[in-house]
Amino acid sequence: RFRHGFAYINTGKGIEKPTDLIGRKIGVKFFLISAALRMRGILEHEYGVPFRSIDWYTELDEDVDFTPPTDLKLTRVPPDKSIIGMLVDGELDALLHADLIDPIRDKDPRVGRLFPNYKEEEMAYFKKTGIFPIMHVIAIRREIVEKHPWVPRNLFRAFNDAKTVAMKRLENPRIVPLPWYREAWEEREEIFGPDPWEYGLSERNRNTLDTLVGYSHEQGLIRKKLPLEELFGDISEGNRRGGSTF
């Protein structure tokens, strides 16, 4: 999922462009959440907004142990407040969120998007970087892989086969109640090619994942940059067929 459309602002704060966020108070559910990690990296590298220039406010405790960089300005909001409510009330200037928030759904004039033309920004970002942000991965315990090497191999195949069936079904415009659905499908295929959600360490996925590892190291989430080969294993049968990874 692209993330430009999930950067929200309080419309009374005079924020008209990304660099207006420098020195501001920005809320996130918690610092480690992948949606915010992606958007912090994009803001820094594509729009010149260093993540260290922001006063960050979190609503939830981190879900894994995390030692913030010493120069990171990070504040836990009081338990009786929410970051969405604080954005609406003007206590926060902006918000990076994983979801479409209610004030946007309700067209609350106090809240808007940092990028009103977010689709165009996301398309330009993809054309420039080749990155369609991966948000989640499936992890398998190492002892399971070592004891039953068929598990990741068959799981990988099952997900690929299921996706093929799903994508074939979605070609039928009658199953989606949207005008111009087929036109949207064709636009997607023109921009992304036949499989935007490709699995495995393809060249495009390597680029996406290497970028995420870089953001994670830069923002203090990991102590060293991990090679993708340490994160993903080979699922070739007997290592006779290369190119497939999980």
Side-chain angles (χ1 to χ4, degrees):
R1 179 181 292 183
F2 287 105
R3 284 294 156 199
H4 292 66
F6 297 89
Y8 306 108
I9 60 170
N10 181 289
T11 55
K13 299 289 185 165
I15 299 171
E16 298 180 356
K17 58 186 184 300
T19 50
D20 291 335
L21 296 177
I22 294 174
R24 301 283 191 153
K25 298 178 179 179
I26 300 182
V28 291
K29 273 287 187 181
F30 52 99
F31 194 76
L32 300 181
I33 191 170
S34 54
L37 167 65
R38 287 276 189 193
M39 200 61 216
R40 287 193 300 264
I42 290 170
L43 285 170
E44 176 147 348
H45 290 274
E46 304 298 326
Y47 298 96
V49 183
F51 81 95
R52 286 181 169 86
S53 70
I54 303 298
D55 290 335
W56 296 101
Y57 287 76
T58 61
E59 182 176 292
L60 303 176
D61 293 331
E62 306 300 330
D63 53 6
V64 296
D65 291 337
F66 167 61
T67 302
T70 55
D71 56 350
L72 181 69
K73 297 181 283 288
L74 191 62
T75 303
R76 178 75 151 76
V77 305
D80 61 336
K81 288 181 177 286
S82 74
I83 53 174
I84 295 176
M86 293 175 70
L87 177 70
V88 171
D89 294 338
E91 295 179 77
L92 294 177
D93 301 304
L95 182 65
L96 304 181
H97 208 282
D99 300 309
L100 186 66
I101 61 175
D102 286 343
I104 291 292
R105 286 195 185 95
D106 299 338
K107 297 180 171 56
D108 189 320
R110 295 170 293 180
V111 175
R113 284 186 165 95
L114 175 64
F115 300 101
N117 60 334
Y118 62 92
K119 180 181 176 182
E120 288 79 9
E121 289 286 336
E122 291 167 349
M123 289 171 66
Y125 172 75
F126 177 76
K127 288 176 181 178
K128 176 185 177 182
T129 66
I131 293 174
F132 181 19
I134 296 169
M135 300 310 303
H136 302 97
V137 296
I138 293 175
I140 305 174
R141 291 185 182 276
R142 186 179 299 275
E143 56 265 30
I144 293 176
V145 176
E146 291 173 349
K147 186 175 181 180
H148 305 292
W150 56 268
V151 170
R153 185 182 308 133
N154 287 357
L155 196 61
F156 183 86
R157 288 175 176 169
F159 274 104
N160 261 323
D161 290 348
K163 182 177 62 174
T164 298
V165 172
M167 296 294 280
K168 182 65 178 176
R169 179 174 180 268
L170 285 171
E171 288 185 19
N172 181 358
R174 292 183 177 88
I175 70 168
V176 180
L178 291 175
W180 304 294
Y181 169 73
R182 183 65 199 183
E183 289 77 3
W185 176 278
E186 291 170 357
E187 179 187 42
R188 186 272 302 165
E189 193 164 73
E190 181 181 347
I191 295 170
F192 295 93
D195 187 6
W197 290 277
E198 60 190 7
Y199 300 148
L201 287 186
S202 63
E203 181 178 351
R204 190 158 69 182
N205 282 350
R206 277 185 174 274
N207 177 36
T208 301
L209 292 164
D210 275 330
T211 300
L212 185 63
V213 169
Y215 289 171
S216 299
H217 181 258
E218 182 178 80
Q219 297 176 29
L221 277 63
I222 55 177
R223 296 185 181 90
K224 67 173 184 176
K225 290 184 179 180
L226 296 169
L228 297 184
E229 283 71 21
E230 291 187 20
L231 300 173
F232 297 89
D234 188 352
I235 59 169
S236 307
E237 292 187 40
N239 292 326
R240 292 190 300 271
R241 294 202 302 270
S244 295
T245 54
F246 70 93

